[in-house]
Amino acid sequence: MRRIKRDDNVRVMTGRDRGKQGQVRQVITEKDRVVVTGVNTVKRHMKARSINQPAGIIELDAPLHISNVRLVCPHCGKAVRVGFRFQANGAKARYCKGCDQDID
Ligand SMILES: [Zn+2]
């Protein structure tokens, strides 16, 4: 089970985009990386591939290492550390180490 899931809101803790916040669009499990909308954007020069894809510069959101982002807790709104615990029904769920609320 991962600390970060798709559609989570995360904050970037290191690097060029430190402090930026965005929604996780993709989790690349095997590489421990996440793609966050609008974060770590790089420009790529593309050759024309078809009429629908003309040549030009496009912006891509490059993956970030999962350790460089922190979940923004939906309860307290802070970039927090996430723990795991079992709920009453036996399901494992994430919880916020800041405000101690279950996240899912
Ligand atoms: Zn919290």
Side-chain angles (χ1 to χ4, degrees):
M1 198 167 176
R2 297 273 144 185
R3 283 165 210 284
I4 305 286
K5 289 181 182 177
R6 202 173 157 216
D7 294 334
D8 278 347
N9 255 311
V10 295
R11 186 174 299 166
V12 182
M13 305 311 286
T14 54
R16 188 163 52 94
D17 283 337
R18 181 153 57 141
K20 265 197 192 174
Q21 220 165 284
Q23 195 176 39
V24 175
R25 206 169 64 209
Q26 195 189 344
V27 179
I28 307 164
T29 317
E30 64 272 22
K31 287 182 178 170
D32 283 331
R33 282 171 188 272
V34 292
V35 178
V36 184
T37 304
V39 169
N40 208 24
T41 309
V42 292
K43 289 195 166 83
R44 287 276 152 80
H45 298 261
M46 302 292 287
K47 283 183 180 172
R49 284 189 180 146
S50 69
I51 292 167
N52 296 326
Q53 268 190 289
I57 300 166
I58 60 157
E59 294 199 339
L60 282 175
D61 296 329
L64 295 160
H65 197 262
I66 211 158
S67 64
N68 292 340
V69 300
R70 268 197 196 176
L71 184 70
V72 175
C73 171
H75 303 289
C76 62
K78 292 175 186 162
V80 294
R81 290 198 294 156
V82 175
F84 295 102
R85 65 186 172 196
F86 290 98
Q87 292 175 311
N89 64 6
K92 202 174 171 191
R94 299 181 297 171
Y95 75 98
C96 168
K97 284 188 174 176
C99 66
D100 205 39
Q101 298 263 5
D102 286 337
I103 293 164
D104 44 21

XYZ file of all heavy atoms in Angstrom:
818
model
N 0.841 -1.203 0.000
C 0.000 0.000 0.000
C 0.876 1.254 0.000
O 1.873 1.322 0.700
C -0.895 -0.017 1.237
C -2.068 0.923 1.109
S -3.270 0.586 2.419
C -4.431 1.883 2.083
N 0.456 2.184 -0.797
C 1.254 3.401 -0.982
C 0.735 4.545 -0.116
O -0.446 4.642 0.166
C 1.158 3.838 -2.451
C 1.734 2.851 -3.408
C 3.211 3.082 -3.594
N 3.873 1.805 -3.754
C 5.186 1.677 -3.832
N 5.956 2.733 -3.770
N 5.732 0.514 -3.973
N 1.652 5.421 0.207
C 1.267 6.610 0.958
C 0.544 7.621 0.093
O -0.227 8.438 0.571
C 2.514 7.289 1.531
C 3.034 6.584 2.732
C 4.455 7.031 3.067
N 5.153 5.923 3.709
C 4.939 5.562 4.975
N 4.130 6.234 5.722
N 5.562 4.536 5.488
N 0.863 7.582 -1.188
C 0.282 8.546 -2.124
C -0.519 7.785 -3.171
O -0.054 6.798 -3.714
C 1.396 9.358 -2.833
C 2.326 10.028 -1.818
C 0.799 10.374 -3.801
C 1.771 11.207 -1.095
N -1.699 8.261 -3.432
C -2.555 7.637 -4.432
C -2.943 8.653 -5.490
O -2.835 9.860 -5.287
C -3.852 7.141 -3.778
C -3.689 5.961 -2.876
C -5.058 5.596 -2.353
C -4.986 4.426 -1.392
N -6.312 4.139 -0.852
N -3.469 8.106 -6.578
C -3.991 8.954 -7.636
C -5.090 9.857 -7.081
O -5.879 9.430 -6.237
C -4.551 8.057 -8.740
C -4.606 8.771 -10.038
C -5.009 7.845 -11.166
N -5.541 8.705 -12.200
C -6.542 8.411 -12.996
N -7.126 7.254 -12.911
N -6.951 9.273 -13.869
N -5.123 11.082 -7.563
C -6.118 12.098 -7.192
C -5.882 12.713 -5.818
O -6.641 13.568 -5.389
C -7.558 11.561 -7.269
C -7.954 11.234 -8.704
O -7.376 11.851 -9.624
O -8.809 10.362 -8.911
N -4.842 12.294 -5.121
C -4.479 12.958 -3.874
C -3.973 14.367 -4.167
O -3.410 14.630 -5.226
C -3.325 12.204 -3.193
C -3.805 11.005 -2.388
O -5.014 10.895 -2.154
O -2.944 10.197 -2.013
N -4.149 15.231 -3.191
C -3.505 16.526 -3.264
C -2.183 16.447 -2.530
O -2.134 16.007 -1.386
C -4.391 17.600 -2.621
C -5.045 18.460 -3.656
O -4.385 18.955 -4.575
N -6.339 18.647 -3.536
N -1.124 16.861 -3.206
C 0.192 16.774 -2.579
C 0.919 18.109 -2.681
O 0.604 18.945 -3.525
C 1.068 15.670 -3.228
C 0.472 14.295 -2.991
C 1.256 15.915 -4.706
N 1.879 18.277 -1.795
C 2.752 19.447 -1.852
C 4.172 18.977 -2.098
O 4.616 17.976 -1.527
C 2.684 20.231 -0.545
C 3.478 21.538 -0.622
C 3.293 22.364 0.612
N 1.897 22.745 0.798
C 1.403 23.247 1.936
N 2.184 23.391 2.976
N 0.141 23.579 2.025
N 4.882 19.725 -2.940
C 6.268 19.393 -3.261
C 7.169 19.954 -2.167
O 7.053 21.115 -1.793
C 6.658 19.987 -4.636
C 8.087 19.614 -4.996
C 5.694 19.506 -5.709
N 8.046 19.085 -1.646
C 8.866 19.481 -0.503
C 10.283 19.885 -0.905
O 10.985 20.512 -0.121
C 8.944 18.331 0.507
C 7.579 17.825 0.975
S 6.437 19.129 1.491
C 7.164 19.589 3.063
N 10.741 19.499 -2.070
C 12.116 19.798 -2.456
C 12.161 20.238 -3.915
O 11.211 20.035 -4.673
C 13.027 18.558 -2.319
O 12.433 17.497 -3.051
C 13.207 18.149 -0.882
N 13.282 20.796 -4.284
C 13.546 21.088 -5.692
C 12.959 22.396 -6.171
O 12.496 23.225 -5.404
N 12.959 22.504 -7.466
C 12.573 23.739 -8.148
C 11.137 24.157 -7.818
O 10.833 25.341 -7.736
C 12.727 23.489 -9.655
C 12.572 24.664 -10.553
C 13.148 24.336 -11.929
N 12.606 23.093 -12.487
C 11.545 23.051 -13.317
N 10.961 24.156 -13.696
N 11.118 21.902 -13.787
N 10.273 23.193 -7.660
C 8.858 23.478 -7.448
C 8.447 23.369 -5.989
O 7.286 23.151 -5.674
C 7.995 22.552 -8.302
C 7.976 22.988 -9.754
O 8.236 24.177 -10.010
O 7.721 22.152 -10.622
N 9.416 23.522 -5.098
C 9.124 23.400 -3.682
C 7.979 24.334 -3.273
O 7.964 25.500 -3.655
C 10.365 23.726 -2.863
C 10.154 23.592 -1.375
C 11.444 23.269 -0.720
N 12.452 24.293 -1.032
C 13.338 24.735 -0.149
N 13.339 24.275 1.064
N 14.233 25.614 -0.497
N 7.038 23.790 -2.520
C 5.913 24.587 -2.052
C 4.709 24.539 -2.958
O 3.626 24.937 -2.564
N 4.901 24.066 -4.163
C 3.769 23.957 -5.087
C 2.858 22.818 -4.678
O 3.301 21.806 -4.147
C 4.267 23.690 -6.513
C 4.417 24.930 -7.347
C 4.491 24.543 -8.818
C 4.934 25.726 -9.659
N 5.151 25.320 -11.060
N 1.596 23.003 -4.989
C 0.626 21.992 -4.635
C -0.127 21.551 -5.881
O -0.370 22.359 -6.775
C -0.358 22.599 -3.638
C -0.752 21.667 -2.526
C -1.417 22.422 -1.398
O -0.749 23.083 -0.620
N -2.722 22.324 -1.315
N -0.487 20.304 -5.944
C -1.228 19.840 -7.105
C -1.835 18.478 -6.876
O -1.621 17.851 -5.832
N -2.567 18.052 -7.877
C -3.252 16.769 -7.788
C -2.426 15.683 -8.480
O -1.897 15.903 -9.568
C -4.618 16.891 -8.437
C -5.548 15.745 -8.080
C -6.928 15.962 -8.659
O -7.081 16.435 -9.774
N -7.945 15.605 -7.887
N -2.337 14.546 -7.849
C -1.599 13.423 -8.425
C -2.377 12.860 -9.610
O -3.523 12.456 -9.472
C -1.361 12.311 -7.382
C -0.698 11.099 -8.020
C -0.532 12.842 -6.236
N -1.739 12.869 -10.764
C -2.410 12.388 -11.964
C -2.081 10.925 -12.223
O -2.837 10.197 -12.824
C -1.976 13.241 -13.154
C -3.002 13.282 -14.269
C -2.647 14.340 -15.282
N -1.392 14.009 -15.914
C -0.540 14.915 -16.392
N -0.822 16.194 -16.291
N 0.576 14.552 -16.953
N -0.907 10.528 -11.765
C -0.442 9.180 -12.051
C 0.560 8.747 -10.990
O 1.376 9.561 -10.547
C 0.230 9.182 -13.430
C 0.436 7.817 -14.026
C 1.311 7.880 -15.278
O 1.510 8.953 -15.846
N 1.833 6.762 -15.680
N 0.489 7.508 -10.589
C 1.493 6.938 -9.693
C 2.230 5.853 -10.462
O 1.616 4.940 -11.003
C 0.843 6.340 -8.424
C 1.907 5.728 -7.523
C 0.050 7.391 -7.668
N 3.558 6.004 -10.546
C 4.373 5.004 -11.244
C 4.979 4.120 -10.163
O 6.064 4.384 -9.646
C 5.442 5.688 -12.119
C 4.780 6.713 -13.049
C 6.216 4.650 -12.930
C 5.746 7.702 -13.666
N 4.232 3.080 -9.831
C 4.557 2.259 -8.663
C 5.958 1.673 -8.731
O 6.710 1.725 -7.761
C 3.533 1.118 -8.530
O 2.229 1.642 -8.768
C 3.571 0.515 -7.170
N 6.313 1.130 -9.887
C 7.585 0.420 -9.980
C 8.793 1.351 -9.883
O 9.901 0.902 -9.621
C 7.651 -0.439 -11.249
C 7.606 0.327 -12.552
C 6.184 0.586 -13.059
O 5.228 0.557 -12.263
O 6.038 0.854 -14.254
N 8.572 2.631 -10.074
C 9.682 3.584 -9.968
C 9.545 4.500 -8.763
O 10.356 5.417 -8.593
C 9.763 4.430 -11.244
C 10.293 3.652 -12.435
C 10.398 4.549 -13.643
C 10.989 3.779 -14.824
N 10.871 4.556 -16.065
N 8.526 4.294 -7.962
C 8.274 5.158 -6.807
C 8.160 6.629 -7.200
O 8.714 7.500 -6.524
C 9.371 4.987 -5.744
C 9.171 3.704 -4.952
O 8.018 3.274 -4.822
O 10.168 3.155 -4.476
N 7.485 6.867 -8.292
C 7.354 8.245 -8.749
C 5.895 8.611 -8.958
O 5.045 7.751 -9.170
C 8.127 8.451 -10.054
C 9.608 8.581 -9.795
C 10.439 8.581 -11.044
N 11.832 8.526 -10.675
C 12.571 9.616 -10.419
N 12.055 10.806 -10.544
N 13.822 9.493 -10.057
N 5.644 9.909 -8.881
C 4.296 10.401 -9.113
C 4.346 11.541 -10.118
O 5.337 12.276 -10.202
C 3.627 10.905 -7.806
C 3.349 9.753 -6.861
C 4.468 11.971 -7.119
N 3.277 11.652 -10.888
C 3.126 12.788 -11.792
C 2.054 13.686 -11.194
O 0.941 13.246 -10.910
C 2.713 12.329 -13.203
C 2.503 13.532 -14.114
C 3.752 11.390 -13.784
N 2.446 14.955 -10.966
C 1.531 15.905 -10.348
C 1.210 16.998 -11.354
O 2.116 17.581 -11.960
C 2.158 16.525 -9.076
C 1.162 17.448 -8.389
C 2.627 15.433 -8.125
N -0.058 17.251 -11.544
C -0.489 18.238 -12.524
C 0.118 19.607 -12.228
O -0.008 20.113 -11.112
C -2.028 18.343 -12.518
O -2.560 17.043 -12.753
C -2.520 19.287 -13.601
N 0.810 20.160 -13.203
C 1.344 21.514 -13.085
C 2.639 21.618 -12.305
O 3.132 22.707 -12.039
N 3.217 20.487 -11.943
C 4.440 20.489 -11.141
C 5.555 19.792 -11.910
O 5.318 18.797 -12.598
C 4.189 19.784 -9.788
C 5.497 19.542 -9.060
C 3.259 20.616 -8.936
N 6.767 20.336 -11.776
C 7.939 19.760 -12.454
C 7.751 19.762 -13.973
O 8.094 18.811 -14.655
C 8.199 18.342 -11.945
C 9.663 17.966 -12.044
O 10.537 18.835 -12.063
N 9.950 16.699 -12.127
N 7.200 20.845 -14.463
C 6.907 20.945 -15.884
C 8.191 21.147 -16.679
O 9.044 21.941 -16.305
C 5.964 22.138 -16.134
O 4.868 22.008 -15.250
C 5.454 22.155 -17.551
N 8.340 20.377 -17.733
C 9.494 20.523 -18.614
C 9.003 20.793 -20.022
O 7.934 20.351 -20.419
C 10.393 19.273 -18.598
C 11.069 19.118 -17.256
C 9.602 18.024 -18.937
N 9.800 21.520 -20.762
C 9.451 21.815 -22.147
C 10.131 20.814 -23.066
O 11.308 20.512 -22.912
C 9.885 23.230 -22.509
C 9.046 24.293 -21.830
C 9.272 25.641 -22.498
C 8.214 26.637 -22.079
N 8.486 27.287 -20.807
N 9.392 20.282 -23.983
C 9.947 19.344 -24.948
C 9.728 19.880 -26.344
O 8.647 20.359 -26.662
C 9.241 17.978 -24.841
C 9.617 17.202 -23.607
C 10.893 16.426 -23.830
N 11.635 16.213 -22.586
C 11.361 15.290 -21.687
N 10.380 14.463 -21.884
N 12.071 15.190 -20.590
N 10.769 19.777 -27.130
C 10.639 20.176 -28.529
C 10.217 18.947 -29.328
O 10.932 17.962 -29.372
C 11.961 20.729 -29.051
C 12.381 21.959 -28.315
N 12.171 23.222 -28.793
C 12.946 22.117 -27.101
C 12.605 24.098 -27.909
N 13.093 23.452 -26.872
N 9.067 19.027 -29.934
C 8.525 17.871 -30.634
C 8.577 18.080 -32.138
O 8.311 19.171 -32.634
C 7.058 17.652 -30.236
C 6.859 17.451 -28.741
S 7.541 15.895 -28.123
C 6.334 14.755 -28.786
N 8.893 16.991 -32.814
C 8.767 17.011 -34.269
C 7.310 16.702 -34.625
O 6.620 16.021 -33.881
C 9.663 15.936 -34.890
C 11.115 16.332 -34.928
C 11.930 15.259 -35.611
C 13.396 15.649 -35.649
N 14.228 14.549 -36.142
N 6.925 17.185 -35.772
C 5.553 16.909 -36.198
C 5.375 15.423 -36.438
O 6.217 14.773 -37.048
C 5.238 17.691 -37.461
N 4.300 14.882 -35.932
C 4.030 13.462 -36.132
C 2.826 13.261 -37.042
O 2.713 12.263 -37.724
C 3.753 12.775 -34.806
C 5.023 12.542 -34.027
C 4.740 11.676 -32.829
N 5.971 11.467 -32.089
C 6.027 11.347 -30.779
N 4.924 11.420 -30.088
N 7.165 11.155 -30.176
N 1.935 14.180 -36.994
C 0.737 14.086 -37.818
C 0.138 15.480 -37.924
O 0.644 16.427 -37.331
C -0.271 13.117 -37.209
O -0.782 13.679 -36.020
N -0.934 15.569 -38.641
C -1.617 16.851 -38.770
C -2.118 17.328 -37.402
O -2.083 18.503 -37.084
C -2.791 16.727 -39.780
C -2.212 16.496 -41.182
C -3.652 17.991 -39.789
C -3.238 16.041 -42.192
N -2.524 16.352 -36.607
C -3.049 16.703 -35.285
C -1.938 17.039 -34.288
O -2.190 17.610 -33.244
C -3.892 15.560 -34.730
C -5.121 15.319 -35.573
O -5.689 16.248 -36.132
N -5.511 14.072 -35.686
N -0.717 16.623 -34.603
C 0.387 16.894 -33.702
C 1.494 17.640 -34.446
O 2.469 17.036 -34.891
C 0.970 15.582 -33.168
C 0.350 15.130 -31.878
C 1.132 13.969 -31.297
O 1.113 12.866 -31.804
N 1.853 14.241 -30.231
N 1.310 18.925 -34.608
C 2.337 19.693 -35.316
C 3.612 19.836 -34.475
O 3.592 19.598 -33.276
C 1.666 21.052 -35.523
C 0.658 21.136 -34.442
C 0.220 19.731 -34.128
N 4.693 20.230 -35.126
C 5.938 20.459 -34.409
C 5.781 21.645 -33.475
O 4.991 22.552 -33.731
C 7.069 20.714 -35.405
N 6.541 21.639 -32.431
C 6.484 22.776 -31.525
C 6.969 22.389 -30.155
O 7.494 21.294 -29.947
N 6.804 23.304 -29.228
C 7.233 23.062 -27.855
C 6.001 22.702 -27.032
O 5.022 23.428 -27.032
C 7.913 24.321 -27.276
C 9.138 24.669 -28.127
C 8.282 24.113 -25.820
C 9.682 26.051 -27.861
N 6.058 21.574 -26.396
C 4.958 21.221 -25.512
C 5.467 21.128 -24.089
O 6.655 20.900 -23.851
C 4.261 19.901 -25.922
C 5.261 18.743 -25.885
C 3.632 20.014 -27.295
C 4.574 17.419 -25.712
N 4.569 21.311 -23.158
C 4.944 21.212 -21.752
C 4.442 19.891 -21.187
O 3.306 19.510 -21.381
C 4.366 22.389 -20.975
C 4.991 23.700 -21.414
C 4.811 24.797 -20.390
O 3.905 24.678 -19.549
O 5.574 25.767 -20.456
N 5.361 19.224 -20.502
C 5.034 17.935 -19.907
C 5.264 18.017 -18.402
O 6.192 18.684 -17.954
C 5.972 16.859 -20.449
C 5.723 16.289 -21.836
C 6.873 15.343 -22.156
C 4.419 15.549 -21.879
N 4.443 17.332 -17.661
C 4.685 17.214 -16.228
C 5.560 15.988 -16.004
O 5.132 14.866 -16.204
C 3.364 17.067 -15.470
C 2.487 18.305 -15.614
O 3.051 19.400 -15.741
O 1.262 18.164 -15.593
N 6.810 16.233 -15.598
C 7.744 15.128 -15.400
C 7.496 14.488 -14.026
O 7.120 15.168 -13.086
C 9.172 15.633 -15.489
N 7.738 13.183 -13.942
C 7.512 12.502 -12.657
C 8.467 12.986 -11.571
O 9.607 13.351 -11.841
C 7.776 11.034 -12.992
C 7.727 10.927 -14.461
C 8.147 12.261 -14.998
N 7.971 12.992 -10.350
C 8.769 13.342 -9.179
C 8.925 12.085 -8.328
O 8.035 11.232 -8.320
C 8.015 14.348 -8.310
C 7.704 15.729 -8.819
C 6.565 16.296 -7.997
C 8.926 16.607 -8.682
N 10.025 12.014 -7.595
C 10.134 10.884 -6.681
C 9.141 11.054 -5.537
O 8.915 12.162 -5.061
C 11.554 10.758 -6.129
C 11.792 9.406 -5.529
N 11.694 9.175 -4.180
C 12.077 8.222 -6.110
C 11.931 7.879 -3.959
N 12.163 7.283 -5.106
N 8.558 9.927 -5.140
C 7.469 9.953 -4.171
C 7.929 10.538 -2.830
O 7.133 11.098 -2.086
C 6.886 8.515 -4.023
C 5.410 8.565 -3.686
C 7.696 7.673 -3.058
C 4.672 7.288 -4.052
N 9.220 10.454 -2.551
C 9.720 10.982 -1.281
C 9.811 12.502 -1.298
O 10.022 13.120 -0.269
C 11.093 10.381 -0.963
O 12.031 10.794 -1.938
N 9.660 13.104 -2.462
C 9.764 14.556 -2.562
C 8.421 15.272 -2.408
O 8.361 16.488 -2.445
C 10.379 14.969 -3.904
C 11.834 14.565 -3.997
O 12.482 14.326 -2.983
N 12.344 14.478 -5.194
N 7.364 14.474 -2.273
C 6.056 15.092 -2.078
C 5.439 14.589 -0.776
O 5.760 13.506 -0.300
C 5.080 14.803 -3.249
C 5.641 15.324 -4.561
C 4.755 13.321 -3.357
N 4.559 15.429 -0.244
C 3.823 15.031 0.945
C 2.344 15.215 0.693
O 1.935 16.178 0.050
C 4.222 15.910 2.128
C 5.340 15.335 2.919
C 5.398 15.996 4.267
N 6.692 15.723 4.882
C 7.067 16.235 6.031
N 6.254 17.057 6.673
N 8.230 15.949 6.537
N 1.584 14.323 1.243
C 0.145 14.418 1.128
C -0.372 15.652 1.874
O 0.065 15.950 2.985
C -0.494 13.162 1.719
C -2.012 13.075 1.594
C -2.427 12.866 0.151
C -2.534 11.942 2.459
N -1.289 16.356 1.230
C -1.993 17.431 1.925
C -3.247 16.825 2.545
O -4.111 16.309 1.845
C -2.362 18.576 0.956
C -3.195 19.631 1.671
C -1.106 19.197 0.375
N -3.306 16.861 3.847
C -4.398 16.206 4.568
C -5.720 16.904 4.270
O -5.817 18.121 4.382
C -4.095 16.248 6.064
S -5.472 15.713 7.066
N -6.753 16.132 3.885
C -8.051 16.745 3.588
C -8.745 17.289 4.836
O -9.702 18.052 4.725
C -8.864 15.596 2.966
C -8.176 14.354 3.390
C -6.736 14.694 3.608
N -8.257 16.916 6.000
C -8.905 17.379 7.234
C -8.253 18.634 7.785
O -8.927 19.607 8.083
C -8.872 16.268 8.288
C -9.514 15.002 7.819
N -10.861 14.877 7.639
C -8.970 13.809 7.455
C -11.144 13.651 7.201
N -10.005 12.987 7.073
N -6.925 18.614 7.910
C -6.265 19.773 8.520
C -5.592 20.668 7.482
O -5.144 21.758 7.811
C -5.262 19.330 9.594
S -3.901 18.321 8.980
N -5.525 20.212 6.211
C -5.020 21.079 5.146
C -3.517 21.277 5.148
O -2.996 22.107 4.413
N -2.807 20.519 5.969
C -1.358 20.666 6.024
C -0.680 19.555 5.228
O -1.259 18.488 5.022
C -0.891 20.597 7.481
C -1.336 21.770 8.319
C -0.929 21.536 9.756
C -1.492 22.648 10.651
N -1.482 22.239 12.068
N 0.559 19.817 4.830
C 1.369 18.770 4.203
C 1.896 17.912 5.332
O 2.696 18.374 6.147
C 2.502 19.386 3.395
N 1.423 16.683 5.389
C 1.651 15.870 6.581
C 2.331 14.550 6.254
O 2.448 14.153 5.099
C 0.315 15.548 7.285
C -0.299 16.813 7.839
C -0.627 14.826 6.342
N 2.749 13.879 7.301
C 3.216 12.519 7.155
C 2.025 11.584 7.314
O 1.104 11.861 8.072
C 4.295 12.223 8.194
C 5.572 12.979 7.862
C 6.734 12.392 8.589
N 6.573 12.596 10.030
C 7.155 11.820 10.943
N 7.904 10.820 10.579
N 6.990 12.068 12.214
N 2.101 10.488 6.597
C 0.980 9.557 6.560
C 1.374 8.272 7.258
O 2.478 7.770 7.069
C 0.605 9.245 5.088
C -0.484 8.190 5.007
C 0.162 10.519 4.384
N 0.486 7.761 8.084
C 0.694 6.462 8.702
C -0.386 5.501 8.258
O -1.329 5.884 7.575
N -0.221 4.254 8.663
C -1.232 3.253 8.324
C -1.752 2.618 9.604
O -1.010 2.408 10.551
C -0.631 2.155 7.437
C -0.190 2.651 6.097
C 1.150 2.889 5.837
C -1.119 2.900 5.103
C 1.560 3.360 4.599
C -0.720 3.358 3.863
C 0.618 3.592 3.607
N -3.017 2.316 9.611
C -3.584 1.580 10.741
C -4.837 0.844 10.279
O -5.403 1.146 9.230
C -3.880 2.505 11.912
C -4.962 3.526 11.630
C -5.067 4.475 12.810
N -5.965 5.594 12.484
C -6.016 6.714 13.168
N -5.221 6.896 14.193
N -6.855 7.679 12.822
N -5.241 -0.104 11.117
C -6.428 -0.889 10.784
C -7.658 -0.220 11.364
O -7.645 0.269 12.492
C -6.284 -2.316 11.311
C -5.258 -3.102 10.557
C -3.972 -3.240 11.053
C -5.571 -3.670 9.338
C -3.008 -3.951 10.351
C -4.620 -4.384 8.624
C -3.345 -4.527 9.125
N -8.700 -0.209 10.548
C -9.966 0.344 11.010
C -10.772 -0.742 11.707
O -10.407 -1.915 11.698
C -10.761 0.895 9.813
C -10.095 2.110 9.205
C -10.818 2.568 7.951
O -11.107 1.778 7.078
N -11.101 3.852 7.881
N -11.889 -0.351 12.282
C -12.740 -1.277 13.017
C -13.185 -2.449 12.138
O -13.326 -3.581 12.609
C -13.959 -0.544 13.569
N -13.366 -2.202 10.846
C -13.825 -3.265 9.940
C -12.666 -4.115 9.400
O -12.863 -4.951 8.529
C -14.641 -2.673 8.795
C -13.814 -1.744 7.907
O -12.607 -1.620 8.069
N -14.469 -1.088 6.973
N -11.457 -3.879 9.888
C -10.318 -4.688 9.491
C -9.565 -4.180 8.287
O -8.525 -4.721 7.933
N -10.065 -3.142 7.645
C -9.410 -2.595 6.467
C -8.238 -1.715 6.899
O -8.305 -1.018 7.923
C -10.394 -1.788 5.638
N -7.188 -1.777 6.109
C -6.034 -0.929 6.376
C -6.282 0.439 5.736
O -6.689 0.504 4.566
C -4.801 -1.572 5.756
C -3.496 -1.139 6.359
C -2.388 -1.977 5.734
C -1.018 -1.448 6.117
N 0.031 -2.080 5.330
N -6.050 1.460 6.484
C -6.313 2.797 5.949
C -5.186 3.744 6.317
O -4.436 3.514 7.261
C -7.631 3.334 6.497
N -5.087 4.791 5.532
C -4.088 5.813 5.832
C -4.658 6.781 6.868
O -5.851 7.017 6.907
C -3.746 6.587 4.553
C -3.167 5.705 3.467
C -2.822 6.506 2.237
N -4.013 7.106 1.651
C -3.976 7.998 0.660
N -2.833 8.381 0.161
N -5.079 8.501 0.174
N -3.778 7.316 7.659
C -4.224 8.376 8.559
C -3.170 9.473 8.625
O -2.008 9.265 8.292
C -4.545 7.839 9.960
C -3.339 7.502 10.800
C -2.857 8.399 11.753
C -2.686 6.279 10.644
C -1.753 8.089 12.527
C -1.574 5.972 11.407
C -1.114 6.873 12.355
O -0.023 6.571 13.112
N -3.633 10.638 9.022
C -2.779 11.820 9.103
C -2.065 11.831 10.439
O -2.701 11.729 11.481
C -3.650 13.065 8.948
S -2.816 14.593 9.361
N -0.732 11.950 10.395
C 0.031 11.976 11.644
C -0.035 13.355 12.301
O 0.449 13.532 13.410
C 1.480 11.571 11.383
C 1.632 10.068 11.171
C 3.086 9.657 11.104
C 3.212 8.144 11.030
N 4.623 7.731 10.858
N -0.621 14.310 11.569
C -0.771 15.647 12.151
C -2.015 15.731 13.018
O -1.947 16.051 14.196
N -3.183 15.440 12.421
C -4.438 15.611 13.161
C -5.068 14.289 13.560
O -6.133 14.277 14.179
C -5.419 16.456 12.323
S -5.963 15.629 10.816
N -4.426 13.159 13.199
C -4.874 11.840 13.635
C -6.215 11.414 13.033
O -6.913 10.580 13.583
C -4.945 11.786 15.172
C -4.795 10.351 15.680
O -3.971 9.617 15.102
O -5.501 9.980 16.621
N -6.606 11.989 11.919
C -7.859 11.596 11.252
C -7.550 10.575 10.158
O -6.506 10.637 9.517
C -8.499 12.818 10.594
C -8.895 13.900 11.550
C -10.368 13.820 11.912
O -11.079 12.905 11.515
N -10.807 14.792 12.702
N -8.497 9.664 9.941
C -8.371 8.746 8.822
C -8.516 9.503 7.494
O -9.349 10.399 7.376
C -9.455 7.669 8.887
C -9.142 6.650 9.977
O -7.965 6.518 10.342
O -10.088 6.006 10.457
N -7.717 9.113 6.530
C -7.769 9.783 5.225
C -8.628 8.992 4.255
O -9.352 9.547 3.463
C -6.342 10.016 4.688
C -5.631 11.046 5.584
C -6.364 10.488 3.234
C -4.146 11.100 5.416
N -8.545 7.659 4.323
C -9.454 6.878 3.490
C -9.793 5.554 4.156
O -9.388 5.283 5.255
C -8.877 6.635 2.081
C -7.410 6.244 2.105
O -6.954 5.776 3.165
O -6.721 6.412 1.111
Zn -4.565 16.129 9.116
